């Protein structure tokens, strides 16, 4: 409507003036021109008035501005609430991770400890043989190697730790079975890793590392390095535990051979005969050999110090035996 009024005030007088300009007299022309100019001024003034802010609108704008100024606090509160929610979400996720890890562990009753790294357990009312993942202890029942050094110590330790206990079995990516039909698990008793305890005491080495079951391999290797530096258990014998297994032959080579004195000490003493009375020594006849040829011709060579015919001159190397050659 305002636009129509402006157009009317501005353009209608001009149209009337130019249409009737020739018919108007001098006064009429002046009045028409004045009217057109006045209409133009009023139109421009009205347009400026419309552009001026309305007090009510200004108040509303101020309210809006104050609302906008105050709105960050509200947004900040909302943001803090969002952060809190996110933190709870992270906590919940961590809880979910722990729950998942615990869910991967199953409880089993130990029926028998076979050796240091193998046990028999009862899972879902079924007997299963379980091999400890990522570790290897010396043998005690191997048909070829027999009882290896520290094999009995490892077996006794595992028996003491797990006999008639309820353990937790943690699976890696898969749990086997291996080529012997044994299941593969990480073993825990009283919340502690059995593999880690064997490695700490030098009763096992990190071995049989096959992808994808490598979850704790780096952790186990760090524990093994500490046992190696301390020289405990299998690491107390140089070159015994190696990458390809245990070398009992190294142990045998390093064992000191028993000395003759040791053997004589360990042998039971023989009974000694009763001492016999010694005959009264007879005076020794003086014998003289000019040289070794004479001694040999007489069948007396070699001549020992203290015997008849021995002279230092005949004993060239001064070893107490003359004419030995």
């Amino acid at each position: 409507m305002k636009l129509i009024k402006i157009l009317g005030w501005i353009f209608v007088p001009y149209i009337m003036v130019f249409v009737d300009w020739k018919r108007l007299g001098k006064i009429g022309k002046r009045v028409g021109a004045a009217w057109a100019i006045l209409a133009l001024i009023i139109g421009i003034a009205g347009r400026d008035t419309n552009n001026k802010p309305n007090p009510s609108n200004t108040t509303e704008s101020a309210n809006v501005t104050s609302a906008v100024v105050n709105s960050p606090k509200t947004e900040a509160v909302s943001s803090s609430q969002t952060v809190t929610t996110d933190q709870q979400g992270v906590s919940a996720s961590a809880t979910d991770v722990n729950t998942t890890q615990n869910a991967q562990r199953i409880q089993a009753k130990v029926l028998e400890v076979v050796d240091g790294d193998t046990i028999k357990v009862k899972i879902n009312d079924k007997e299963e043989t379980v091999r400890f993942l990522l570790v290897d202890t010396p043998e005690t029942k191997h048909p070829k190697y027999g009882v290896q050094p520290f094999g009995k110590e490892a077996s006794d330790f595992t028996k003491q730790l797990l006999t008639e206990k309820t353990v937790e079995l943690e699976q890696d990516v898969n749990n086997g079975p291996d080529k012997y039909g044994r299941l593969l698990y990480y073993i825990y008793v009283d919340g502690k890793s059995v593999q880690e305890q064997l490695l700490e005491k030098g009763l096992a080495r990190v071995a049989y590392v096959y992808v994808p079951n490598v979850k704790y391999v780096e952790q186990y290797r760090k524990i093994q390095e500490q046992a190696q530096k301390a020289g405990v258990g299998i690491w107390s014998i140089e070159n015994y535990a190696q990458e390809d297994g245990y070398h009992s032959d190294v142990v045998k080579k390093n064992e000191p051979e028993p000395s003759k004195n040791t053997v004589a000490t360990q042998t039971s003493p023989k009974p000694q005969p009763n001492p016999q009375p010694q005959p009264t020594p007879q005076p020794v006849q003086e014998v003289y050999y000019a040289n070794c040829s004479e001694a040999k011709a007489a069948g007396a060579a070699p001549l020992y110090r203290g015997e008849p015919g021995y002279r230092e001159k005949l004993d060239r190397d001064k070893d107490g035996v003359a004419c030995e050659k």
Side-chain angles (χ1 to χ4, degrees), residues 60 112 121 153 189 214 218 261 264 318:
E60 292 176 359
E112 179 188 351
V121 298
E153 288 83 347
V189 62
V214 293
E218 294 303 325
N261 294 333
K318 308 301 180 185

Side-chain angles (χ1 to χ4, degrees), residues 280-294:
T280 304
Q282 299 295 325
V284 180
Q285 184 180 3
E286 189 69 26
V287 178
Y288 176 84
Y289 298 107
N291 51 45
C292 287
S293 298
E294 291 183 4

Side-chain angles (χ1 to χ4, degrees), residues 109-297:
K109 178 71 175 178
V110 177
L111 302 177
E112 179 188 351
V113 175
V114 179
D115 58 15
D117 54 26
T118 308
I119 57 176
K120 290 184 179 181
V121 298
K122 192 173 186 179
I123 304 175
N124 297 328
D125 295 328
K126 182 181 178 182
E127 181 178 320
E128 299 282 2
T129 302
V130 174
R131 178 69 165 74
F132 299 179
L133 266 172
L134 299 182
V135 298
D136 177 43
T137 62
E139 299 292 344
T140 57
K141 301 179 180 180
H142 198 279
K144 179 179 179 181
Y145 303 118
V147 180
Q148 294 178 314
F150 291 99
K152 186 177 184 303
E153 288 83 347
S155 181
D156 290 345
F157 176 79
T158 304
K159 287 178 180 178
Q160 182 180 0
L161 199 63
L162 301 183
T163 299
E164 297 183 354
K165 293 288 187 69
T166 298
V167 296
E168 289 182 317
L169 310 178
E170 180 181 344
Q171 176 180 325
D172 206 321
V173 176
N174 61 66
N175 65 338
D178 64 4
K179 62 182 179 179
Y180 301 108
R182 302 173 300 187
L183 301 181
L184 307 174
Y185 283 107
Y186 301 107
I187 315 299
Y188 298 86
V189 62
D190 299 328
K192 296 181 180 180
S193 168
V194 176
Q195 277 98 323
E196 290 183 6
Q197 293 182 67
L198 286 167
L199 292 169
E200 287 172 358
K201 294 183 179 297
L203 299 176
R205 66 186 182 94
V206 177
Y208 304 113
V209 180
Y210 300 119
V211 177
N213 293 337
V214 293
K215 184 190 296 185
Y216 299 119
V217 66
E218 294 303 325
Q219 181 175 330
Y220 288 176
R221 281 175 176 160
K222 290 179 181 179
I223 298 172
Q224 176 175 279
E225 288 176 4
Q226 294 175 356
Q228 287 175 312
K229 292 178 181 178
V232 297
I234 59 176
W235 309 112
S236 63
I237 305 174
E238 187 177 1
N239 297 327
Y240 169 52
Q242 300 182 27
E243 289 291 332
D244 58 345
Y246 297 100
H247 294 257
S248 301
D249 55 331
V250 174
V251 180
K252 293 178 181 178
K253 289 179 181 179
N254 292 337
E255 288 180 352
E257 294 183 0
S259 63
K260 295 181 179 179
N261 294 333
T262 305
V263 173
T265 304
Q266 294 176 350
T267 306
S268 59
K270 294 181 179 180
Q272 297 296 330
N274 294 328
Q276 299 294 329
Q278 297 296 329
T280 304
Q282 299 295 325
V284 180
Q285 184 180 3
E286 189 69 26
V287 178
Y288 176 84
Y289 298 107
N291 51 45
C292 287
S293 298
E294 291 183 4
K296 290 178 181 179

